[in-house]
Amino acid sequence: MARLAELVGQGRGCFELSQPSSRRTQSLRRTGALPVLIAVLAAAVLAALHLRPLAAFASNAVPLRTSTGLAKLSGVSHYIGSSAAAPLDRHANTQVARFVGAGVAPAADSLKQPPIKRLVGDVFSAVGAPLRFYQMARITREVAEGAKQRFKQNSKKDSKSSGSGATKTLQAFLPTYMKSHVIARTKPEDYRNLLNVSLNLLIDSIQAEKPFAFKPHHMAIRDPERDLYAWGNNFFRSMVKFRKSRVVGLDQVAEISAILKRGDNVVLLANHQTEADPQVLSLLMEREGYPELGELCTFVAGHKVTTDPLAVPFSMGRNLLTIFSKKYLDQFGEKEREEKNAWNRETVVQMQRMLTTGGNLFWVAPSGGRDRRSPESGRFEPAAFDPASVGLFQLLAQKAGRNGTKTHFFPLAMWSHELVPPPEDTVASVGEVRSAARAAIALEFGAEMDPEALGGRKKFPAAAERLVRQHYAHLDQLMKR
């Protein structure tokens, strides 16, 4: 209620009790606060209705005894009701496409609402938050207990599939994740479905005898029964503070959309901050009315996102061109290194085919890895570009151009490090410990770059990096206000 009072009575106040009643009424009408006051009074009535079932629910709640393994995933042992654990729904993987809808993080849609309606929604959300928290805590406990049981059963069958590092990551991640859904107003049953699906996919990946076999060019798995693209977006949807997120350069977004529609290619040269960057792009393009850009985009991805058990399900839902970064090739023996080089050559062949065909959107991070904090400033800064990566796309684009298909280059600054922060170590590793937080995200699209005007193959990579850095510096300044 303190927050409500702050919203209603900032500054001089929407109303002053010291005024005569007629003057108060005129003041209310003049400031436009009368509808707000009515909404607050209505919310107070609804609060009483909400709190009655909440009290009944709380009276039946008992502390949950601490257990081991995945049962700790709930992280809310003092708030969970006494209901028995439910088995993990083994049919959940066939329901990936069915729960996609308004039930997951509907708070994101409040940006489209008039201010009064948004305020009323905020009040109702605040009133209902305790009840949602209790309900989701109970659901988390039930689903996590089912996951624990299934995990133990599978581990008995295959002693090699313990996945201890991945389960520790889930233990640390899930309490924050549940709270994000409470804040984002996800409906409890939609949360149950999403959590069921997510744990099924992740446990299957962790305990798989053979990892999913990606190809140099992987197409997103999207069908009526299993839409992993939609699942990945919904997984992160509640983690995004949409009201504080922004997209700068919408004129360029409209231009990119038009270029693709006429059959030309677009290459986004971007910095890279988190493993969730593909979902960041999709969620913000969806918010701005360009969902097709996220769906169409092909991401040039390193080997980690196709081999790390926790990353694999998300990667399966994306269009990918998979490569082995040259800074990691030394980790392999001579024979395996040659196999990886052959894989990279096939990926380049697929790139050339797509550029020649036309109408394709590519996202590439020429740095070959995620950004890190600057030792001097302590702030995240774009990692240095590998000139060879930019030069490769420029060369392939020139070859496609000789066949009549034009390719356009745009700089893209991504500000997403607070969502899933990268480790301090600059070398990514499979099975790295992850953390997550509900955070704002942002994109800034720059004007189209003409490689020839910027110095051709020798100077264009440095020019592209400089422009991305400039856009990132501007975006960082906006987001830190």
Coordinates of all heavy atoms in Angstrom, one line a residue, residues 2 45 47 51 99 151 175 188 199 223 255 278 301 315 330 394 398 404 425 439 450 468 473:
A2 N 2.1 1.1 0.6 CA 3.0 2.3 0.5 C 3.3 2.7 -0.9 O 3.3 3.9 -1.2 CB 4.2 2.0 1.3
V45 N -11.8 -3.0 -2.1 CA -12.8 -4.0 -1.9 C -12.4 -5.4 -2.4 O -12.6 -6.4 -1.7 CB -14.1 -3.6 -2.7 CG1 -15.2 -4.6 -2.7 CG2 -14.6 -2.3 -2.1
A47 N -9.4 -6.4 -2.6 CA -8.4 -6.9 -1.7 C -9.0 -7.8 -0.6 O -8.4 -8.8 -0.2 CB -7.6 -5.7 -1.1
L51 N -8.0 -11.6 0.1 CA -7.3 -12.0 1.3 C -8.0 -13.1 2.0 O -7.4 -13.8 2.8 CB -7.1 -10.8 2.2 CG -6.1 -9.7 1.6 CD1 -6.1 -8.5 2.5 CD2 -4.7 -10.3 1.5
F99 N 0.8 -24.6 -23.9 CA 0.7 -23.6 -22.8 C 1.1 -22.2 -23.3 O 0.9 -21.2 -22.6 CB 1.5 -23.9 -21.6 CG 3.0 -23.9 -21.8 CD1 3.7 -22.7 -21.8 CD2 3.6 -25.1 -22.1 CE1 5.0 -22.7 -22.0 CE2 5.0 -25.1 -22.3 CZ 5.7 -23.9 -22.3
F151 N 14.8 -38.2 -11.6 CA 16.2 -38.1 -11.8 C 16.9 -39.2 -11.1 O 17.8 -39.8 -11.7 CB 16.7 -36.7 -11.2 CG 18.0 -36.3 -11.6 CD1 18.2 -35.5 -12.8 CD2 19.2 -36.6 -10.9 CE1 19.4 -35.1 -13.2 CE2 20.4 -36.2 -11.4 CZ 20.5 -35.5 -12.5
P175 N 14.7 -20.8 -7.3 CA 14.0 -19.8 -6.4 C 13.8 -18.4 -7.1 O 12.7 -17.9 -7.0 CB 14.9 -19.7 -5.2 CG 15.7 -21.0 -5.2 CD 15.9 -21.4 -6.7
P188 N -0.9 -19.5 -12.1 CA -0.3 -20.6 -11.4 C -0.3 -21.9 -12.3 O 0.7 -22.6 -12.3 CB -1.1 -20.8 -10.1 CG -1.6 -19.4 -9.8 CD -1.9 -18.8 -11.1
L199 N 11.6 -28.7 -16.8 CA 12.4 -29.7 -16.1 C 12.5 -30.9 -16.9 O 13.6 -31.6 -16.9 CB 11.8 -29.9 -14.7 CG 12.0 -28.8 -13.7 CD1 11.4 -29.2 -12.4 CD2 13.4 -28.4 -13.6
D223 N 7.0 -27.5 -34.2 CA 5.9 -28.2 -34.8 C 4.7 -28.1 -33.8 O 4.9 -27.6 -32.7 CB 6.3 -29.7 -35.1 CG 6.8 -30.4 -33.8 OD1 6.0 -30.5 -32.8 OD2 7.9 -30.9 -33.9
E255 N 13.4 -0.8 -41.5 CA 14.2 -0.9 -42.8 C 14.7 -2.3 -43.0 O 14.6 -2.9 -44.1 CB 15.4 0.1 -42.7 CG 16.3 0.1 -44.0 CD 17.4 1.0 -43.8 OE1 17.6 1.7 -42.8 OE2 18.3 1.0 -44.8
P278 N 19.7 -14.7 -27.9 CA 18.6 -15.0 -28.9 C 17.2 -14.7 -28.4 O 16.4 -14.2 -29.2 CB 18.8 -16.5 -29.3 CG 20.3 -16.7 -29.0 CD 20.6 -15.9 -27.8
A301 N 26.7 -19.7 -34.0 CA 26.8 -20.1 -32.6 C 28.1 -21.0 -32.4 O 28.4 -21.8 -33.3 CB 25.6 -20.9 -32.1
S315 N 19.0 -24.2 -27.6 CA 19.6 -24.2 -29.0 C 18.8 -24.9 -30.0 O 18.7 -24.6 -31.2 CB 21.0 -24.7 -28.9 OG 21.9 -24.0 -28.0
D330 N 42.5 -25.5 -30.1 CA 43.7 -26.1 -29.5 C 43.4 -27.1 -28.3 O 44.3 -27.8 -27.9 CB 44.6 -25.0 -29.0 CG 45.3 -24.2 -30.1 OD1 45.3 -24.7 -31.2 OD2 45.7 -23.0 -29.9
Q394 N 31.8 -10.7 -45.2 CA 32.0 -9.7 -46.3 C 32.3 -10.4 -47.6 O 31.7 -10.1 -48.6 CB 33.0 -8.6 -45.9 CG 33.1 -7.4 -46.8 CD 34.1 -6.4 -46.4 OE1 34.8 -6.6 -45.4 NE2 34.3 -5.4 -47.2
Q398 N 29.9 -10.7 -51.0 CA 30.4 -10.3 -52.3 C 30.1 -11.4 -53.3 O 29.7 -11.1 -54.4 CB 31.9 -9.9 -52.2 CG 32.1 -8.6 -51.5 CD 33.6 -8.3 -51.3 OE1 34.5 -9.2 -51.5 NE2 34.0 -7.1 -50.9
G404 N 23.5 -11.8 -57.9 CA 22.3 -11.0 -57.9 C 21.6 -10.8 -56.6 O 20.6 -10.2 -56.5
D425 N 35.6 -15.5 -15.9 CA 36.6 -16.1 -16.7 C 36.3 -15.8 -18.2 O 35.1 -15.9 -18.6 CB 36.7 -17.6 -16.5 CG 37.9 -18.3 -17.2 OD1 38.6 -17.5 -17.9 OD2 38.0 -19.5 -17.1
A439 N 15.7 -8.7 -14.8 CA 16.5 -7.6 -15.2 C 15.9 -6.9 -16.5 O 15.1 -7.5 -17.2 CB 17.9 -8.0 -15.5
D450 N 28.1 0.6 -45.1 CA 28.5 0.3 -46.4 C 30.0 -0.1 -46.3 O 30.9 0.7 -46.0 CB 28.4 1.5 -47.3 CG 28.9 1.2 -48.7 OD1 29.5 0.2 -49.0 OD2 28.5 2.1 -49.6
V468 N 29.7 -0.4 -33.3 CA 29.0 -1.2 -32.2 C 29.3 -0.7 -30.9 O 28.5 -0.5 -30.0 CB 29.3 -2.7 -32.4 CG1 28.8 -3.5 -31.1 CG2 28.7 -3.3 -33.6
A473 N 27.9 2.2 -26.0 CA 28.1 3.3 -25.0 C 26.9 4.2 -24.8 O 26.5 4.5 -23.7 CB 29.3 4.1 -25.4

